[in-house]
Amino acid sequence: MEAVRIVDIRDSALDLAAHEQAVADARAGAVVSFQGVVRDHDGGRGVTLLEYEGHPTAAAVLREVALEIAADPDVYAVAVSHRVGVLRIGDVALVASVSTAHRAAAFAASARLVDEVKARLPIWKRQVFTDGTQEWVNCP
């Protein structure tokens, strides 16, 4: 079975349980998951919503990152998805799950996965602030 189980860019809600289930493996003693959740502030300013817009290559870049993490011999499986479109406070923008034999490897692989997605994924974020202003951020 391929180690990369889910790679998805979608405009609908993300399912953490589905990601965790996708990386399940009888050899795994650890599954670490991450959810990036829309918060109500950034840099001391109130936020009302975010809008994510993805480049046409976003899915391919996400798969490339997932494959790099899955190539680690300690990693059994990887599942990662990013949401696009308008998200409200509390919505989940990013879900990532990794399984390994031991917790330290799972935490390390999960951190690498999330950091690489944040650094390389061509998805831009528009923040709308409570004062009515807006800005585009995180444009790689």
Side-chain angles (χ1 to χ4, degrees):
M1 178 180 272
E2 183 178 356
V4 175
R5 309 274 172 83
I6 296 174
V7 174
D8 196 15
I9 305 287
R10 65 168 56 198
D11 63 1
S12 58
L14 302 178
D15 184 349
L16 176 65
H19 285 68
E20 291 174 339
Q21 191 172 39
V23 301
D25 188 299
R27 302 169 296 165
V31 172
V32 169
S33 295
F34 172 84
Q35 290 188 106
V37 180
V38 177
R39 63 182 182 269
D40 68 355
H41 66 280
D42 186 48
R45 300 170 72 188
V47 172
T48 60
L49 65 87
L50 301 180
E51 180 181 10
Y52 289 97
E53 188 171 310
H55 187 272
T57 63
V61 172
L62 188 60
R63 181 158 186 76
E64 179 180 290
V65 170
L67 286 167
E68 288 174 17
I69 301 304
D72 180 330
D74 289 334
V75 173
Y76 296 140
V78 173
V80 60
S81 297
H82 200 294
R83 191 160 166 199
V84 292
V86 175
L87 282 77
R88 306 285 177 196
I89 305 307
D91 285 346
V92 177
L94 173 65
V95 172
S97 295
V98 176
S99 63
T100 67
H102 303 286
R103 71 180 176 274
F107 280 116
S110 177
R112 282 193 322 271
L113 176 60
V114 172
D115 288 347
E116 287 300 312
V117 166
K118 294 278 291 172
R120 293 168 43 192
L121 193 62
I123 289 184
W124 298 271
K125 177 172 71 174
R126 180 176 67 98
Q127 297 187 119
V128 178
F129 297 102
T130 54
D131 66 5
T133 62
Q134 59 183 319
E135 70 179 359
W136 286 91
V137 294
N138 295 343
C139 302

